[in-house]
Amino acid sequence: MDLAGGSGRIEASVGGAAPRTALRGVSVGTDEGTPETVDSTEVFVEDLRRLRQSHGEPTWTAMARRASNRGAKASHGTLHNAVTTGRLPSELAVTAFVMALTNDRAQVARWLTRRAALVDTASGAEFDGASPVPVEKEAGFWRRRRRIVACVAAVLLSNTVTGLVVFQVARRDQPPTPIVTGEDPARTTCVDDAKIAAASDRNPAFLLEILFSSKCQAGWARATRRDQDGVGNTIDVVIYRRSEPDGGSRQSATEPDVQSAYTTLIVRTDPADRLCATGAITTDHARQVSPEPICT
């Protein structure tokens, strides 16, 4: 803002805007008797509109995004209201408005200097570009709102934590789901502690294994081809109780086009009960079987 000494004239030159000829606010006469515009809130807001027009009138959302990226965060509503309410916008609104359009901190400083002069000559009430509330009252409102939000968040967090604790306790109190013969071991927790209890490659074409879970007291058999000819061929694998090879607990699997296949599991009810397995593969329709079963 430039003060023309002696004439009592104030000329606002911001952002390279052309000198104004339209009269706004209160006019005073010069030595030559021609009126000059005295800066006012109305003129200030109109110049902000012209600044936006000179930069192609970007959308308010685009301006808010640019301002945020340039370190002057403000909502699109604040930027819109800065030039539509007829009141003097706050420093925040002016800073974000000018930064969004010019990305020039020197221009921002000149606009803020001009605005400060208007505040000094006005009632002192400031408008934040969003609602006609004095800055001091608005600051108190936002402080109260932040406290309310913080309290609500704390209550929600507390309830969430309490709910999780109750859920975990209830879950621990529930008896574990029993594992039964015939289940897919991959769909149970038995795979977590499963170990190879027996294995054989007596037939070099494939590896035969029995896997056993101590936690579940259950086992299953697996056969894995040594070649890479799974496509077009099959794998057969069987697990059974040694005490009843052909009993109802016997589990078998025949899988085509795979490199490895496994059976469903057998739950061992007697610690002395042993599990045994056999396997076979086909290669070009020729069947190769394990020479003998393996047992735990």
Side-chain angles (χ1 to χ4, degrees), residues 41 51 55 74 85 155 163 191 274 294:
T41 295
L51 181 65
H55 286 80
T85 61
V155 170
V191 295
R274 299 181 65 186
I294 59 172

Side-chain angles (χ1 to χ4, degrees), residues 114-125:
R114 178 180 169 190
R115 178 192 171 281
L118 291 173
V119 172
D120 290 342
T121 58
S123 64

Side-chain angles (χ1 to χ4, degrees), residues 3-294:
L3 301 179
S7 65
R9 178 174 66 193
I10 302 177
E11 296 180 358
S13 174
V14 183
R20 292 180 300 276
T21 56
L23 295 180
R24 298 182 181 276
V26 180
S27 299
V28 296
T30 64
D31 293 339
E32 293 79 13
T34 58
E36 289 290 339
T37 301
V38 173
D39 204 9
S40 66
T41 295
E42 182 185 6
V43 174
F44 185 87
V45 170
E46 177 61 27
D47 284 347
L48 282 176
R49 292 195 195 98
R50 291 180 178 177
L51 181 65
R52 178 169 174 261
Q53 291 170 358
S54 70
H55 286 80
E57 290 192 277
T59 65
W60 301 112
T61 301
M63 287 180 62
R65 183 172 59 251
R66 292 178 192 171
S68 179
N69 293 339
R70 295 166 181 177
K73 189 173 182 180
S75 70
H76 66 276
T78 295
L79 296 174
H80 173 266
N81 290 338
V83 293
T84 57
T85 61
R87 295 176 63 89
L88 184 65
S90 68
E91 290 187 6
L92 172 63
V94 173
T95 300
F97 199 103
V98 178
M99 279 298 291
L101 296 172
T102 69
N103 195 23
D104 186 341
R105 296 192 180 278
Q107 285 205 47
V108 171
R110 291 196 291 271
W111 278 95
L112 292 179
T113 299
R114 178 180 169 190
R115 178 192 171 281
L118 291 173
V119 172
D120 290 342
T121 58
S123 64
E126 299 181 10
F127 183 61
D128 69 349
S131 59
V133 181
V135 170
E136 295 80 2
K137 293 184 179 179
E138 187 204 22
F141 166 77
W142 285 109
R143 283 195 295 270
R144 290 192 298 275
R145 182 172 178 177
R146 283 194 293 270
R147 285 197 294 268
I148 293 171
V149 171
C151 289
V152 171
V155 170
L156 291 176
L157 178 61
S158 176
N159 290 343
T160 301
V161 172
T162 301
L164 289 174
V165 170
V166 171
F167 172 76
Q168 292 296 335
V169 171
R171 189 175 179 182
R172 285 199 302 269
D173 291 341
Q174 292 177 349
T177 303
I179 304 299
V180 297
T181 295
E183 284 195 80
D184 182 347
R187 296 179 179 274
T188 70
T189 59
C190 302
V191 295
D192 296 342
D193 71 327
K195 293 182 172 54
I196 297 173
S200 173
D201 57 359
R202 290 285 299 277
N203 186 328
F206 64 94
L207 174 65
L208 180 64
E209 302 168 296
I210 295 177
L211 295 95
F212 189 81
S213 164
S214 297
K215 177 176 63 177
C216 298
Q217 284 296 296
W220 59 97
R222 179 174 64 190
T224 305
R225 304 178 68 98
R226 296 292 195 184
D227 58 28
Q228 300 297 318
D229 295 329
V231 177
N233 294 300
T234 61
I235 297 178
D236 296 301
V237 60
V238 178
I239 189 169
Y240 54 87
R241 300 182 193 278
R242 187 174 182 181
S243 60
E244 48 173 357
D246 297 315
S249 61
R250 180 185 175 97
Q251 306 295 313
S252 63
T254 299
E255 298 287 349
D257 304 318
V258 295
Q259 285 298 116
S260 182
Y262 64 88
T263 68
T264 48
L265 55 80
I266 294 178
V267 176
R268 188 175 69 174
T269 57
D270 184 350
D273 198 6
R274 299 181 65 186
L275 302 177
C276 299
T278 61
I281 67 169
T282 62
T283 304
D284 297 329
H285 305 290
R287 183 177 173 81
Q288 302 188 56
V289 300
S290 52
E292 60 186 22
I294 59 172

